[in-house]
């Protein structure tokens, strides 16, 4: 995701500087406003060499803090603050008990920033790659409203939900990916070893072969002769693909394509809508303005294409359009989700309705995953049937023709 450097002034009028990840400068401005910072200047920052000055923690090291550890941290902070433990003592205890050196360093950086007079949200914001913008904004809301322990509890549930949905989507893609790879491997083995063996037998007959057999033998000869180049091209294409989807345009294309994949695409779409709905509900319920709630929720959907559509929704709301109108124009929400947004806006319970959407699609994703095998089986059966039919016709037609010719000659 693009990286931006910013300058702004906080609620006290002091000049603050830093950097954030976001889709565009408008998204960064929304994050800053949610943090209580009025942006003065936002500019693109170089992607390489990101380091947190003053904390001695590199971006590469901070990446090693996974979602599970952050989820546990949120749960522990809620329990400690609820028990009346001072925040500095709570952080000190969690730093000592952490088994991840990168996370220990991050907590130490937060403590040092707190000692320097910064707020907890500003201290967390300085730890790049550990606390994302949504997390930091929620902490800021908790500090501003005096409900910090409640926010930590909500963040724990939110992270738990996000991790669950991410795991479910990976499970949805694992089975079809494995099957496609297995079929591709079978085709390679047949072309390299099986068909050449039959081709030698047919060559000894010296007879005219059927068109389908000649096509199979020609394709097999090509595979045998060019397999080193095909292998090198496949490996090179894989790495080029990986490199392409790391760019902004490539990632946008890939995330849009994933939503259109048959069967798996609808599961990914429902999971993404569920993540957005839960994030938006949490932010809006915590008192974040709707435009900032949209901007922050866009950071949590784990899909660049959906995030860009949500950012356009925010721009529409800023122009005075209703949320449901912008959602309809985005073209990424299901009719059920749109209907729930309508009810939420009309009844004044938008946060509750979005929570209902999240729970609804969470249940649907779970059901879709349980029935995934039954949905994919017909496609696999048809694909395997076509493959077997082609191979059977190509291999056995010449034998059948030769047998018929010998029978007719003998009679």
């Amino acid at each position: 995701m693009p990286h931006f450097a910013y300058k702004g002034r906080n609620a006290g009028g002091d000049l603050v500087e830093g950097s954030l990840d976001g889709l565009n400068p408008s998204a960064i401005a929304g994050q800053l406003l949610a943090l209580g910072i009025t942006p003065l200047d936002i500019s693109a920052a170089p992607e390489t060499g990101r380091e947190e000055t003053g904390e001695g923690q590199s971006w590469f090291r901070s990446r090693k803090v996974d979602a599970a550890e952050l989820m546990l941290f949120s749960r522990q902070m809620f329990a400690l603050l609820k028990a009346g433990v001072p925040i500095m003592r709570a952080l000190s205890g969690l730093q000592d008990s952490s088994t991840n050196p990168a996370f220990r360093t991050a907590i130490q950086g937060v403590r040092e920033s707190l000692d320097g007079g910064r707020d907890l949200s500003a201290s967390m914001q300085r730890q790049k790659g550990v606390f994302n913008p949504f997390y930091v904004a929620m902490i800021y809301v908790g500090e501003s409203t005096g409900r910090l322990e409640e926010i930590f509890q909500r963040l724990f549930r939110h992270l738990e939900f996000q991790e669950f949905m991410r795991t479910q989507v990976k499970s949805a893609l694992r089975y079809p990916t494995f099957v496609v790879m297995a079929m591709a491997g079978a085709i390679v083995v047949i072309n390299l070893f099986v068909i050449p063996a039959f081709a030698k037998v047919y060559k000894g007959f010296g007879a005219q072969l059927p068109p389908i057999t000649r096509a199979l033998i020609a394709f097999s000869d090509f595979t045998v002769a060019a397999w080193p180049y095909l292998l090198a091209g496949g490996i090179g294409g894989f790495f080029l693909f990986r490199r392409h989807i790391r760019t902004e345009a490539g990632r946008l294309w890939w995330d849009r394509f994933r939503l259109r994949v048959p069967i798996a695409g609808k599961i990914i779409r429902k999971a993404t809508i569920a993540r957005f709905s839960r994030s938006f509900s949490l932010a809006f319920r915590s008192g974040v303005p709707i435009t900032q709630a949209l901007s922050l929720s866009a950071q949590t959907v784990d899909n660049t294409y959906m995030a860009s559509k949500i950012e356009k929704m925010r721009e529409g709301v800023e122009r005075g359009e209703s949320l449901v109108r912008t959602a309809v124009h985005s073209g990424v929400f299901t009719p059920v989700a749109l209907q729930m947004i309508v009810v939420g806006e009309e009844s004044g319970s938008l946060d509750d309705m979005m929570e209902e959407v999240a729970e609804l699609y969470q249940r649907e994703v779970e059901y879709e995953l349980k029935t995934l095998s039954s949905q994919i089986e017909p496609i696999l059966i048809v694909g395997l049937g076509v493959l077997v039919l082609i191979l059977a016709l190509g291999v056995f037609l010449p034998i059948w023709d030769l047998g018929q010719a010998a029978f007719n000659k003998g009679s």
Side-chain angles (χ1 to χ4, degrees), residues 284-300:
F284 193 66
R285 180 175 295 169
S286 300
V288 177
I290 188 171
T291 53
Q292 278 75 46
L294 287 169
S295 183
L296 292 170
S297 300
Q299 308 292 326
T300 68

Side-chain angles (χ1 to χ4, degrees), residues 75-98:
R75 182 68 180 86
Q76 291 172 329
M77 284 296 295
F78 162 69
L80 291 171
L81 293 178
K82 185 177 181 180
V85 178
I87 190 168
M88 288 296 289
R89 189 187 302 173
L91 289 172
S92 177
L94 294 181
Q95 178 184 345
D96 294 337
S97 63
S98 176

Side-chain angles (χ1 to χ4, degrees), residues 176-250:
T177 301
F178 173 78
V179 172
V180 170
M181 290 177 63
M183 291 180 64
I187 292 174
V188 170
V189 171
I190 290 171
N191 276 283
L192 290 178
F193 302 104
V194 178
I195 295 179
F198 279 96
K200 292 179 181 179
V201 176
Y202 298 151
K203 188 176 181 181
F205 293 158
Q208 179 70 19
L209 298 176
I212 189 171
T213 305
R214 295 199 302 269
L216 286 176
I217 292 176
F219 183 70
S220 175
D221 291 341
F222 170 75
T223 304
V224 172
W227 74 264
Y229 307 103
L230 294 174
L231 180 61
I235 295 174
F238 172 76
F239 284 107
L240 285 175
F241 171 75
R242 291 287 300 272
R243 182 177 180 180
H244 178 61
I245 63 174
R246 288 175 181 171
T247 63
E248 184 176 357

Side-chain angles (χ1 to χ4, degrees), residues 119-145:
D119 295 332
L120 180 60
S121 57
S123 301
M124 287 181 169
Q125 182 185 344
R126 292 167 63 87
Q127 305 304 313
K128 302 301 178 186
V130 179
F131 304 100
N132 60 45
F134 183 85
Y135 196 101
V136 173
M138 290 298 99
I139 295 299
Y140 175 80
V141 170
E143 289 179 309
S144 302
T145 59

Side-chain angles (χ1 to χ4, degrees), residues 115-350:
D115 283 335
R118 294 187 180 89
D119 295 332
L120 180 60
S121 57
S123 301
M124 287 181 169
Q125 182 185 344
R126 292 167 63 87
Q127 305 304 313
K128 302 301 178 186
V130 179
F131 304 100
N132 60 45
F134 183 85
Y135 196 101
V136 173
M138 290 298 99
I139 295 299
Y140 175 80
V141 170
E143 289 179 309
S144 302
T145 59
R147 299 184 298 172
L148 189 57
E149 65 180 60
E150 180 183 346
I151 291 298
F152 271 117
Q153 184 184 35
R154 291 183 180 180
L155 283 171
F156 164 72
R157 292 174 178 172
H158 170 74
L159 291 170
E160 186 179 38
F161 174 79
Q162 292 281 82
E163 189 64 18
F164 171 78
M165 296 304 295
R166 189 177 294 110
T167 303
Q168 295 288 77
V169 170
K170 287 182 179 179
S171 299
L173 296 177
R174 187 178 298 118
Y175 179 67
T177 301
F178 173 78
V179 172
V180 170
M181 290 177 63
M183 291 180 64
I187 292 174
V188 170
V189 171
I190 290 171
N191 276 283
L192 290 178
F193 302 104
V194 178
I195 295 179
F198 279 96
K200 292 179 181 179
V201 176
Y202 298 151
K203 188 176 181 181
F205 293 158
Q208 179 70 19
L209 298 176
I212 189 171
T213 305
R214 295 199 302 269
L216 286 176
I217 292 176
F219 183 70
S220 175
D221 291 341
F222 170 75
T223 304
V224 172
W227 74 264
Y229 307 103
L230 294 174
L231 180 61
I235 295 174
F238 172 76
F239 284 107
L240 285 175
F241 171 75
R242 291 287 300 272
R243 182 177 180 180
H244 178 61
I245 63 174
R246 288 175 181 171
T247 63
E248 184 176 357
R251 189 66 189 178
L252 185 66
W253 169 83
W254 175 240
D255 284 341
R256 183 178 183 180
F257 173 77
R258 288 197 305 160
L259 295 175
R260 298 180 176 182
V261 174
I263 300 178
K266 66 179 181 180
I267 299 178
I268 296 173
R269 182 182 295 272
K270 290 177 180 179
T272 305
I273 293 175
R275 281 196 293 265
F276 162 74
S277 302
R278 181 65 61 90
S279 302
F280 180 84
S281 174
L282 172 59
F284 193 66
R285 180 175 295 169
S286 300
V288 177
I290 188 171
T291 53
Q292 278 75 46
L294 287 169
S295 183
L296 292 170
S297 300
Q299 308 292 326
T300 68
V301 294
D302 198 26
N303 187 291
T304 307
Y305 178 72
M306 289 282 287
S308 66
K309 293 296 185 180
I310 296 170
E311 282 295 333
K312 289 182 180 179
M313 288 173 57
R314 179 188 62 80
E315 294 171 1
V317 171
E318 288 179 342
R319 293 193 299 267
E321 299 180 23
S322 66
L323 180 62
V324 66
R325 182 180 179 84
T326 60
V328 171
H329 287 168
S330 70
V332 295
F333 290 93
T334 62
V336 173
L338 293 174
Q339 187 62 38
M340 298 289 274
I341 294 175
V342 170
V343 174
E345 280 196 311
E346 292 179 351
S347 63
S349 56
L350 188 57

Side-chain angles (χ1 to χ4, degrees), residues 6-11 16 29 31-40 125 140:
Y6 68 84
K7 293 182 181 179
R9 294 193 181 277
N10 59 21
V16 293
Q31 295 179 38
L32 292 175
L33 291 172
L35 295 172
I37 299 174
T38 302
L40 301 176
Q125 182 185 344
Y140 175 80

